[in-house]
Amino acid sequence: MSLEITFLGTGSAFPSPARGASALVLRREGQCWLFDCGEGTQTQLMRSHLRAARITKIFITHLHGDHIFGLPGLLCTLSLQSSPDASKAPVDIYGPLGLRSFLGRSLELSHSQLLFPCTVHELVPTRDQCPAEEFRDFSGLDRGEALPQALPGRVLHLDPGEDSYLLLEDEQLVVRAFRLFHRVPSFGFVLEEKPRPGKLNVQKLKDLG
């Protein structure tokens, strides 16, 4: 399995002319997976050899602005570059609880509409992931309100046995999230490649005894 990582931004707090806010892309078999989407990520993508249209999954570590302020704009640009297609696979977005509300409100207040399917999978944090005075319970955000553009997706809880969150699994790899301690609940992501059995030429082995 071929994996390639491109750092689009490694700065914190705010972007600078020479250094973008947090964002990196993992390229895997023609797909691009984006990790964090700080302000200016679109511009950094244009300067790279990557194509934004190839992004199929987005992973957000936490809800500080230097990691998410570029996301609504990127999604709107992807929408402008696409045509309505109900059969198209959705762009999957993974991030902390509250991300769905942030995106839904951003799209609603900016009168934006996504022309491609998009799902937001929220990870429910535990209270020990940040200082007690900083923890906010976002489980009730937008409850009972019908947003014009509701974003579907799963709500994922910690698996105590694995001490992680199972995000996705296919024939080649497993992707999990694990808890980090930060000023707000934060998550890291692990891509684990599955064992690949080798191929043996049985006849050749027999010929060699």
Side-chain angles (χ1 to χ4, degrees):
M1 180 171 58
S2 175
L3 299 175
E4 177 185 293
I5 292 177
T6 301
F7 292 91
L8 299 177
T10 57
S12 63
F14 54 86
S16 73
R19 192 176 188 184
S22 182
L24 70 85
V25 170
L26 183 146
R27 190 163 65 168
R28 175 199 177 213
E29 298 180 345
Q31 297 183 25
C32 290
W33 293 5
L34 176 65
F35 291 80
D36 282 338
C37 189
E39 181 183 350
T41 296
Q42 291 190 71
T43 305
Q44 294 296 89
L45 276 167
M46 293 174 191
R47 291 173 176 165
S48 75
H49 63 285
L50 303 168
R51 291 179 54 198
R54 298 271 188 180
I55 294 174
T56 58
K57 301 190 187 307
I58 300 173
F59 302 84
I60 300 297
T61 57
H62 62 290
L63 299 183
H64 274 155
D66 54 337
H67 292 254
I68 63 170
F69 281 164
L71 186 52
L74 174 64
L75 294 178
C76 289
T77 296
L78 293 176
S79 181
L80 288 171
Q81 296 175 348
S82 65
S83 56
D85 183 0
S87 64
K88 184 178 180 181
V91 173
D92 288 303
I93 305 175
Y94 300 86
L97 195 67
L99 182 59
R100 181 182 292 114
S101 180
F102 168 73
L103 288 175
R105 288 299 183 190
S106 298
L107 296 172
E108 177 190 16
L109 293 172
S110 62
H111 293 253
S112 302
Q113 184 176 6
L114 300 184
L115 299 179
F116 62 92
C118 180
T119 56
V120 180
H121 309 290
E122 294 185 302
L123 285 65
V124 178
T126 58
R127 290 182 176 270
D128 56 354
Q129 285 182 247
C130 68
E133 64 274 12
E134 296 283 352
F135 186 85
R136 301 289 184 273
D137 184 0
F138 293 142
S139 58
L141 287 178
D142 301 325
R143 182 174 292 170
E145 294 188 54
L147 292 178
Q149 193 168 181
L151 298 170
R154 297 175 291 154
V155 175
L156 304 172
H157 294 269
L158 178 72
D159 180 345
E162 296 288 341
D163 197 27
S164 64
Y165 303 72
L166 177 62
L167 305 187
L168 61 100
E169 182 174 5
D170 61 22
E171 298 81 10
Q172 292 184 314
L173 56 74
V174 178
V175 181
R176 295 182 181 273
F178 60 93
R179 296 173 296 165
L180 296 174
F181 186 87
H182 189 37
R183 195 160 57 83
V184 297
S186 184
F187 297 91
F189 301 99
V190 172
L191 285 71
E192 181 180 357
E193 188 174 5
K194 292 183 176 179
R196 291 180 294 169
K199 296 181 180 179
L200 293 177
N201 185 331
V202 177
Q203 187 57 49
K204 186 72 172 179
L205 291 173
K206 289 180 178 178
D207 294 341
L208 293 173

